[in-house]
Amino acid sequence: MSTDDTTTTTETEESTGKCGASATDETSSESACGGSSSSTDSSTSACGASSDTESEANEEAEEVGATVDDFDADPGTLVAVGLGPGQPEGMTDRAKAALADAEHIVGYTTYIDLIPDDITDDAEDIYDTPMCGEVSRTEEAIDRALAGNHVAIVGSGDPNVYALAGLALEITESKGAMASMLDFEVVPGVPAAQSCGARLGAPLVNDSVSVSLSDHLTPMDEIESRLHAVAGEGFTIAIYNPWSRKRRENFETACEILLDHRDEDTPVGIVHGAGREDEEVEITTLGELESYGETDLVDMTTTIVVGNDETYVFDDRMVTPRGYETKYDY
Ligand SMILES: C[S@@+](CC[C@H](N)C(=O)[O-])C[C@H]1O[C@@H](n2cnc3c(N)ncnc32)[C@H](O)[C@@H]1O
């Protein structure tokens, strides 16, 4: 099944490490799943590429292996859990409960590290990969569930926002399995747009859209036409995946497109690492935005919120009026 679908846009983090899955118990060099041919051998991940984002590494090489017929056990369960922005207080109780119930927790190492230790300590097995391999990691989670385990696959923010919930369903389908066999469930988390919007004040109160500048799964000309469309329609825009070494030009192009449609004084909020130790927040203008591209503030853990024609800055907070002032006196 093709993964070239924007709903399966990938996890991305700034990193230059090489990929090699690790597990935290004795099974660390082998997949715990019972599939006959597709188990991801964590010591020999197919990914050897060095890349500055997980998603840019090597998805072409990944193929889905075992089918549902390769598993003899009664299926377990699979839950996609959104961790929210980063700190444990930002996780929902439901997310914590779903993780506490899981026997196996699967995820990108950075995201696994966001989970409170008391939860990971209680899990039977943690399967984490430092970078790349989101297809094989998702398949690993599904295979473990098909082999009878209760599995949680985790990601930052919400599983439905440029994350792995869609990929999990697509791979489940391609294996000939059914979502219902695994009691597949998505546990939402606070998406970056919302956690970053909160840091900035109230920039997203009216119609808004998210655009990812990652051209890993969506061609840049398509991203450009989407940006033209939404910037021209006056939405407040949350920009995900704004910059990486390989995406310098995408960021510059995006700034130029936004300036085609909006005044250079338009307020722009930049939030790096919302809810994490290195959180930084800055409010600037659209005219200045491009100059932040080469600073530490803008990278793959940054979300940028571009105001609409009505957005203004009040006491260091962005405000996008919803229109109450047109109906009420205050
Ligand atoms: C692949 S997307 C994952 C989005 C995630 N599923 C969500 O709901 O927020 C990764 C992008 O989310 C944004 N992001 C994730 N965590 C963030 C954080 N703590 N602070 C700011 N932006 C963040 C960045 O734009 C990053 O490049």
Side-chain angles (χ1 to χ4, degrees):
M1 172 162 287
S2 165
T3 59
D4 187 14
D5 180 326
T6 53
T7 62
T8 63
T9 307
T10 56
E11 294 159 281
T12 51
E13 292 283 343
E14 190 76 8
S15 170
T16 53
K18 296 202 173 190
C19 180
S22 69
T24 55
D25 68 2
E26 312 83 271
T27 65
S28 63
S29 65
E30 283 182 23
S31 161
C33 86
S36 60
S37 62
S38 74
S39 46
T40 304
D41 182 338
S42 59
S43 66
T44 57
S45 165
C47 177
S50 169
S51 163
D52 59 355
T53 71
E54 178 180 24
S55 62
E56 285 168 350
N58 78 328
E59 287 313 309
E60 298 84 25
E62 294 188 45
E63 281 179 20
V64 170
T67 72
V68 66
D69 297 330
D70 295 318
F71 296 88
D72 297 329
D74 289 340
T77 59
L78 180 63
V79 59
V81 180
L83 302 177
Q87 81 284 48
E89 312 86 73
M91 282 174 69
T92 66
D93 286 348
R94 197 167 156 218
K96 285 180 189 161
L99 293 174
D101 286 348
E103 295 164 344
H104 295 198
I105 302 177
V106 175
Y108 176 33
T109 306
T110 301
Y111 301 154
I112 295 282
D113 290 344
L114 296 175
I115 301 171
D117 288 346
D118 57 329
I119 295 178
T120 47
D121 288 350
D122 282 353
E124 251 174 55
D125 191 26
I126 306 291
Y127 180 86
D128 64 310
T129 57
M131 191 182 71
C132 80
E134 64 238 56
V135 172
S136 61
R137 189 171 61 234
T138 305
E139 183 180 15
E140 177 75 20
I142 295 164
D143 285 352
R144 287 175 180 228
L146 287 172
N149 302 294
H150 298 295
V151 181
I153 184 163
V154 299
S156 73
D158 184 88
N160 259 295
V161 181
Y162 308 121
L164 299 180
L167 184 59
L169 283 171
E170 291 176 64
I171 295 178
T172 300
E173 184 182 12
S174 75
K175 285 175 173 291
M178 301 298 286
S180 53
M181 286 169 66
L182 298 174
D183 281 338
F184 177 76
E185 192 192 354
V186 176
V187 174
V190 181
Q194 274 59 45
S195 47
C196 295
R199 294 295 186 278
L200 293 165
L204 297 169
V205 176
N206 213 335
D207 294 339
S208 62
V209 295
S210 297
V211 175
S212 166
L213 298 190
S214 168
D215 57 5
H216 174 55
L217 298 171
T218 305
M220 192 56 199
D221 56 357
E222 178 63 33
I223 294 171
E224 287 175 28
S225 70
R226 290 177 191 179
L227 255 186
H228 274 295
V230 298
E233 288 299 328
F235 296 106
T236 308
I237 306 169
I239 298 179
Y240 281 74
N241 306 111
W243 191 95
S244 74
R245 280 183 285 281
K246 289 186 178 174
R247 281 189 204 126
R248 284 191 161 85
E249 299 83 41
N250 296 10
F251 180 70
E252 289 158 15
T253 304
C255 293
E256 285 159 19
I257 291 172
L258 291 163
L259 279 167
D260 282 349
H261 298 275
R262 300 196 181 178
D263 196 271
E264 61 180 16
D265 292 332
T266 305
V268 170
I270 304 174
V271 182
H272 175 272
R276 304 196 192 174
E277 281 175 4
D278 57 349
E279 178 180 297
E280 269 188 82
V281 180
E282 178 112 11
I283 295 179
T284 182
T285 62
L286 191 52
E288 294 295 319
L289 180 59
E290 192 176 331
S291 67
Y292 285 88
E294 297 299 321
T295 69
D296 290 345
L297 191 61
V298 177
D299 66 14
M300 295 310 291
T301 49
T302 301
T303 298
I304 296 170
V305 178
V306 180
N308 68 16
D309 291 350
E310 318 241 297
T311 306
Y312 63 97
V313 179
F314 162 64
D315 198 16
D316 289 334
R317 274 88 171 158
M318 288 173 75
V319 187
T320 301
R322 192 174 166 215
Y324 289 107
E325 77 285 0
T326 63
K327 289 197 101 176
Y328 301 95
D329 284 333
Y330 51 85

